[in-house]
Structures are given as structure tokens and as C-alpha cells.
Amino acid sequence: MAQYVDVTINPLSALTGTAVIMAEVPVAPSFGVELQSSYFFKARRAWTPDYSTEGYRIGALAHYYFDTNREHAEWSIFAYGRYLDVRYEDNGSPTIFDRDNYTFSKISVGMGGSYKHVFREHFVLGAGIGLGRNFAKKLVREEGEAGDFLSLGLQTRVDIDVYARVTIGYRFRYTMGS
């Protein structure tokens, strides 16, 4: 019986100073489980050039594929859960808001939809979007930081989690012995 593992990255995550790698394995004709790992480099984003983040996010998705003849490709819906732990640091910028240095963690769960296409049995291209809820948020300001709520990132104040991605990757095929 032929099996495979899709290993993908999200090239757009580089815009946010993040490296993302994902691996999906089929567990039934219509279902696949995907594990994700993200690392936030101490990078500056274009929209906040003097503010950097460093940390990680781990997560899992359960995909339900509508067409069992497509080998876990084409349209799917998914449920996801992920955990974030990131340190935010102001690099001394004269921006509109004097940002605080803080560490933020949260758990997010949600649902979404995705599309995945496999070219020539190996090359994977996909996109997905979802919406969820944040739980167990924990914010720890560094000692001496006492700004108002505008000095913190938007994600520390909202309970909605937005999930979006574009993926490229490779499908590794292998054969299970009898």
C-alpha cells in the first residue's frame, strides 16, 4: 500500500520574520493530520521596523478531504489548535506609540478551509484560511514597563484568531511492507 508524507513551508511567513514547516500524513481515506512548527526570528517587520519578535508556535490540524479519489488533495475543511509563546521587544524607535517589551503566550482553536494541489505526484501547492478563538492568554511585561493598552500588540487585546497560509512543498512517497 503506497503512503506519503507532505512536507511544506509557508513562504509568505518570511514577511513576518517567521520560519514555518508543516508535515501532513494520511490517517484514513478522507482524513489527514498535520503537525506544524514555527519559529519567530528576532526580525523586524516592514510595518513595525523597530519592533521585533522572537519565539515559537506549535500546532496541529485535522483535515477532512471531500474527494477520496484525490489522495488527500483538492478541497478540505480543517480544525486546528496551536500554542504561541513569543517575546516582543521595542528597539528604541521613535514611533507613534512607545511600545512595551513583553512576553505573550496563548492557545488558539478554530476551523477553516483549504485547497491543495499535487503536481506530478510530488510537488504540493496549497492555501488555507480559518477563524478561531484565543484562550489562556498570558501577558508578562518586563520590569519597569507600564504603557497603556496601545503600547501592546493588537493580538494581546483580541480573542479572535485568524489563520491564513500559502504552502509549497514536496510529497514524499514510500511503500509499506506486508
Side-chain angles (χ1 to χ4, degrees):
M1 180 167 105
Q3 293 290 317
Y4 42 87
V5 175
D6 292 343
V7 177
T8 56
I9 62 169
N10 181 350
L12 297 180
S13 65
L15 295 174
T16 62
T18 309
V20 179
I21 188 164
M22 298 158 273
E24 181 181 349
V25 295
V27 294
S30 295
F31 291 96
V33 173
E34 180 179 312
L35 301 176
Q36 301 178 344
S37 178
S38 304
Y39 180 73
F40 294 78
F41 293 94
K42 197 168 186 175
R44 293 172 175 90
R45 297 177 173 116
W47 55 92
T48 53
D50 294 316
Y51 203 55
S52 60
T53 58
E54 185 174 21
Y56 67 93
R57 176 185 292 143
I58 54 173
L61 283 86
H63 290 272
Y64 171 76
Y65 290 94
F66 294 110
D67 188 350
T68 57
N69 295 322
R70 299 280 187 178
E71 285 191 319
H72 299 90
E74 304 293 333
W75 294 102
S76 74
I77 57 173
F78 62 84
Y80 71 90
R82 55 191 183 169
Y83 173 76
L84 171 80
D85 190 333
V86 177
R87 181 178 183 276
Y88 294 82
E89 181 178 350
D90 180 10
N91 298 311
S93 68
T95 58
I96 296 173
F97 303 116
D98 184 21
R99 292 280 183 117
D100 280 356
N101 296 337
Y102 61 94
T103 301
F104 183 66
S105 63
K106 66 179 177 176
I107 297 172
S108 304
V109 295
M111 295 189 70
S114 66
Y115 181 83
K116 178 170 56 171
H117 189 75
V118 181
F119 298 91
R120 298 183 185 169
E121 294 191 23
H122 291 288
F123 299 102
V124 178
L125 178 63
I129 190 162
L131 196 60
R133 175 88 193 235
N134 295 322
F135 297 95
K137 294 190 308 185
K138 182 180 179 186
L139 173 76
V140 178
R141 284 183 155 143
E142 289 187 4
E143 191 173 332
E145 301 287 339
D148 59 18
F149 77 98
L150 291 175
S151 68
L152 303 172
L154 179 63
Q155 71 173 348
T156 65
R157 298 185 304 278
V158 296
D159 288 331
I160 296 173
D161 184 66
V162 176
Y163 185 99
R165 71 181 192 181
V166 172
T167 57
I168 60 171
Y170 193 81
R171 176 169 282 185
F172 294 92
R173 293 187 175 273
Y174 59 93
T175 304
M176 299 289 291
S178 300

